[in-house]
Amino acid sequence: MEKKEQLRLVLALVLSFIVIFGWQYLMAPSAEEQAEMARRAAEAERMAAALTVQEQGVAPAPATEVGDFAPTEGVSVKVDTPLYTAVFNSQGGILEKFVLKNYRETVKENSPNVDLIGANAFAKGPLGLILTAGGREIHTWRHGEWAFTGSNITLGPNQEPKSLTFTGQAGDYRIERTLTFDPKTYHITESSTITTLAAIGVEGAVAFTAAAKSMSAEGDSYNPTKIAYLSVNGRDEMSDRDDLRDKGFFAPAGLKWGAIESNYFLFAVIPASDRATLAAGVQDDIFRMAVSEDATFLPSVAKTVRASYFLGPMDRDLLAAMPNQLKEAVNFGWFDFLAKPLLIGLNFFYDYVHNYGVAIILLTIVIKLIFWPLSQRSFASMEKMKKLQPMVQKLREKYGDDKQRLNQETMALYKTYKVNPMGGCLPMLVQIPVFFGLYKALLGAVELRHAPFIAKVPFTDLPWLVDLSAKDPYYVTPIIMGATMFLQQKLTPAAGDPTQQKIMMLLPIVFTFMFLQFPSGLVIYWLFNNILSIGQQVMIARSSKKKAADKA
């Protein structure tokens, strides 16, 4: 072999070793990954052996004693706590009703309390258990026999938690569901034991379900009922009913919780396993959800699965104490970081005045004071612009047909007099996120639901502003708000060409129509913010006139 060929051969071998061993070094699993792979392999081998235990004659796992089972007729079982009254059906332990004692459907005096389930949802098995085994899905409340020997539960505020136990048999499975109720919270825990009666094991899944009527009117864009979930990859939600009906909504493994929710209430399922998944949708106008985790049903072996539920208001303090970051169910979108601190401020004032309408006004004053210097600069800038308007008008008359020249001359004029045309806008832009943050807070805070400001129209018996989360029934506040906005426009120096000025004067009308349907709490905020801004503008105008008079 020639010397060059020998050299090429050696070089090829060296490169081959580098590729083979370098790849293994770089891509080989870590020690932790190798340990996890070994654990999974051992588990798979154990399950495979167990599933075929009868066929191979291997010694079976310790069998669970399964007692006799005598089904009883399905009955309603009531759980009464200081916070809610829950009615279960012993046929599967599913919910018939879940009535919140501290929340009514409407502001009317005799309005019924909120039932999170609704009559039509019962057929969908709220809080039911679904077993999937060998590709067959068993809705245990529908395709099983059940027995119940307990009684109604009544819990006082200081009593210890109590439990209900429902026993059933569905297909080849004996089921024992134990639901535990704590009188201090809306949190219900479940521990269910499933014993396989068949001689051969099977791979499958266990699903904890939720089903509820819509928690808001269809088409209510301000307060939609939606499906939401939190997983290791973050929060996601879907509120489009057509998509939920036609396509459904899914979350991969790593689920922390899934919920049917509106701005004010939620029905959440919280899995105990970090391998749980979610499937949800809308059927017959009922929102449904199943939180599933894979399970191996070994012959004559009892398997215990756990989950918990939260059925109640979107109370941020209560949710903060729940597992799996359920507090993330309260989410105000992009302005979440502003809305929550603003709500803290709102509740701070409420603790003193005990009226959320007054608390909104006080919070508006505080916000106005915080932004007072910025607004002062904005209005001062507009005053300067006002003084230049005669010169700007002359430029328009001179260069009206040459837009480019008109812009150049106008900017030169502003530069000469050291006026920033954006000076009037930038401080206002800074405040916009705060406006939207408060808008989201007022729209989604459960404490604002049915919170009154003024009980009745003065000198009448007509109810008025009795619910700050609902629109003004007589549209009085939006119209006054529009009037104050119009007055603001009249006080603001005209800028831009005549067409732009006319458009600006139409804004109060547009905003008035928009605010007609907004929650009255938000309208009150905007109205008082306008009043404070008008006062500030008047002060600046008077100060400017006084300075001009002093100079003269």
Side-chain angles (χ1 to χ4, degrees), residues 250-267:
F250 305 93
L255 184 78
K256 291 183 177 296
W257 53 260
I260 302 166
E261 65 174 42
S262 67
N263 286 358
Y264 307 121
F265 304 105
L266 82 162
F267 183 168

Side-chain angles (χ1 to χ4, degrees), residues 50-281:
L51 293 175
T52 57
V53 60
Q54 297 298 322
E55 296 175 354
Q56 297 181 2
V58 180
T64 301
E65 292 283 341
V66 181
D68 294 334
F69 176 74
T72 59
E73 187 177 351
V75 295
S76 296
V77 187
K78 184 186 292 184
V79 177
D80 191 75
T81 79
L83 299 175
Y84 60 84
T85 299
V87 180
F88 290 85
N89 191 295
S90 65
Q91 181 66 21
I94 60 175
L95 271 172
E96 295 180 357
K97 296 179 182 178
F98 197 92
V99 180
L100 305 177
K101 290 186 174 180
N102 298 324
Y103 298 90
R104 293 186 180 276
E105 292 281 358
T106 70
V107 294
K108 292 181 180 177
E109 193 172 332
N110 298 321
S111 173
N113 288 81
V114 170
D115 175 11
L116 288 182
I117 302 303
N120 296 330
F122 173 65
K124 306 297 182 186
L127 237 63
L129 205 63
I130 298 175
L131 301 182
T132 302
R136 188 166 68 98
E137 199 171 80
I138 307 171
H139 292 206
T140 59
W141 66 93
R142 187 180 300 156
H143 304 293
E145 294 181 307
W146 290 81
F148 178 72
T149 56
S151 60
N152 295 336
I153 290 177
T154 301
L155 283 166
N158 299 316
Q159 286 189 282
E160 292 297 315
K162 290 185 178 179
S163 300
L164 285 177
T165 299
F166 303 98
T167 304
Q169 187 163 312
D172 293 328
Y173 303 95
R174 179 69 57 80
I175 306 163
E176 185 175 278
R177 302 187 66 191
T178 301
L179 299 165
T180 302
F181 309 90
D182 186 338
K184 299 181 182 65
T185 78
Y186 298 91
H187 190 219
I188 300 171
T189 59
E190 171 167 5
S191 176
S192 288
T193 299
I194 302 157
T195 304
T196 308
L197 305 178
I200 297 176
V202 66
E203 291 287 352
V206 179
F208 304 92
T209 71
K213 65 177 182 180
S214 175
M215 298 178 185
S216 54
E218 187 172 359
D220 187 346
S221 58
Y222 298 120
N223 179 27
T225 299
K226 55 183 176 281
I227 303 290
Y229 73 79
L230 180 72
S231 73
V232 292
N233 297 319
R235 188 184 192 279
D236 199 1
E237 64 182 42
M238 179 181 280
S239 59
D240 189 301
R241 295 195 189 200
D242 291 335
D243 285 346
L244 285 169
R245 188 181 298 114
D246 299 336
K247 302 174 186 175
F249 191 46
F250 305 93
L255 184 78
K256 291 183 177 296
W257 53 260
I260 302 166
E261 65 174 42
S262 67
N263 286 358
Y264 307 121
F265 304 105
L266 82 162
F267 183 168
V269 180
I270 309 166
S273 166
D274 59 3
R275 300 187 300 275
T277 61
L278 175 142

Side-chain angles (χ1 to χ4, degrees), residues 475-490:
Y475 305 112
V476 174
T477 48
I479 291 171
I480 297 175
M481 189 283 303
T484 58
M485 203 169 175
F486 179 76
L487 182 57
Q488 261 191 298
Q489 290 289 344
K490 297 296 289 183

Side-chain angles (χ1 to χ4, degrees), residues 266-546:
L266 82 162
F267 183 168
V269 180
I270 309 166
S273 166
D274 59 3
R275 300 187 300 275
T277 61
L278 175 142
V282 171
Q283 294 177 340
D284 302 327
D285 291 329
I286 298 299
F287 287 78
R288 299 189 70 184
M289 185 176 65
V291 172
S292 307
E293 59 179 273
D294 293 339
T296 301
F297 300 110
L298 303 177
S300 301
V301 173
K303 180 179 182 61
T304 299
V305 291
R306 294 182 176 83
S308 61
Y309 311 91
F310 184 96
L311 293 93
M314 285 281 209
D315 185 303
R316 295 179 300 285
D317 292 335
L318 289 176
L319 293 175
M322 294 296 107
N324 287 20
Q325 298 174 264
L326 188 59
K327 64 180 181 179
E328 298 298 327
V330 181
N331 186 282
F332 298 109
W334 288 12
F335 300 98
D336 188 74
F337 71 102
L338 281 172
K340 288 177 179 174
L342 288 169
L343 277 175
I344 292 173
L346 189 64
N347 285 309
F348 171 80
F349 289 119
Y350 176 79
D351 289 341
Y352 289 95
V353 298
H354 305 294
N355 182 303
Y356 274 111
V358 178
I360 288 172
I361 293 171
L362 293 175
L363 184 65
T364 307
I365 293 171
V366 171
I367 293 174
K368 192 65 188 175
L369 289 174
I370 292 172
F371 286 102
W372 187 275
L374 286 173
S375 300
Q376 195 83 356
R377 289 179 57 187
S378 171
F379 294 139
S381 177
M382 286 189 284
E383 282 294 320
K384 286 184 180 177
M385 293 282 291
K386 182 179 180 181
K387 293 175 181 174
L388 295 181
Q389 286 310 301
M391 286 185 272
V392 172
Q393 183 60 34
K394 287 183 179 178
L395 291 176
R396 286 200 189 104
E397 293 170 359
K398 188 175 182 180
Y399 303 110
D401 296 332
D402 186 347
K403 297 293 183 186
Q404 185 176 1
R405 181 67 184 276
L406 175 61
N407 288 334
Q408 289 175 348
E409 294 294 333
T410 304
M411 294 308 295
L413 178 68
Y414 290 153
K415 190 175 180 180
T416 301
Y417 286 92
K418 298 179 181 178
V419 172
N420 182 356
M422 297 298 293
C425 300
L426 289 177
M428 298 300 292
L429 290 176
V430 175
Q431 297 184 56
I432 287 178
V434 179
F435 292 155
F436 279 103
L438 191 59
Y439 162 76
K440 298 294 290 185
L442 295 176
L443 203 64
V446 70
E447 52 265 51
L448 268 294
R449 183 181 183 271
H450 294 179
F453 179 30
I454 300 171
K456 294 178 180 177
V457 176
F459 312 113
T460 73
D461 289 330
L462 297 173
W464 185 47
L465 301 181
V466 293
D467 181 2
L468 289 169
S469 69
K471 67 179 183 181
D472 184 336
Y474 309 117
Y475 305 112
V476 174
T477 48
I479 291 171
I480 297 175
M481 189 283 303
T484 58
M485 203 169 175
F486 179 76
L487 182 57
Q488 261 191 298
Q489 290 289 344
K490 297 296 289 183
L491 291 172
T492 302
D497 58 39
T499 304
Q500 291 174 322
Q501 292 174 20
K502 290 178 182 175
I503 292 173
M504 292 300 290
M505 291 309 292
L506 286 175
L507 281 181
I509 299 174
V510 175
F511 270 67
T512 300
F513 276 99
M514 284 173 52
F515 275 62
L516 289 177
Q517 304 301 322
F518 277 7
S520 54
L522 184 65
V523 181
I524 289 168
Y525 161 73
W526 213 284
L527 168 59
F528 273 85
N529 186 63
N530 285 352
I531 292 172
L532 293 173
S533 297
I534 290 169
Q536 190 177 15
Q537 281 182 268
V538 171
M539 287 173 59
I540 291 173
R542 287 179 178 174
S543 175
S544 180
K545 284 183 180 177
K546 186 174 183 302

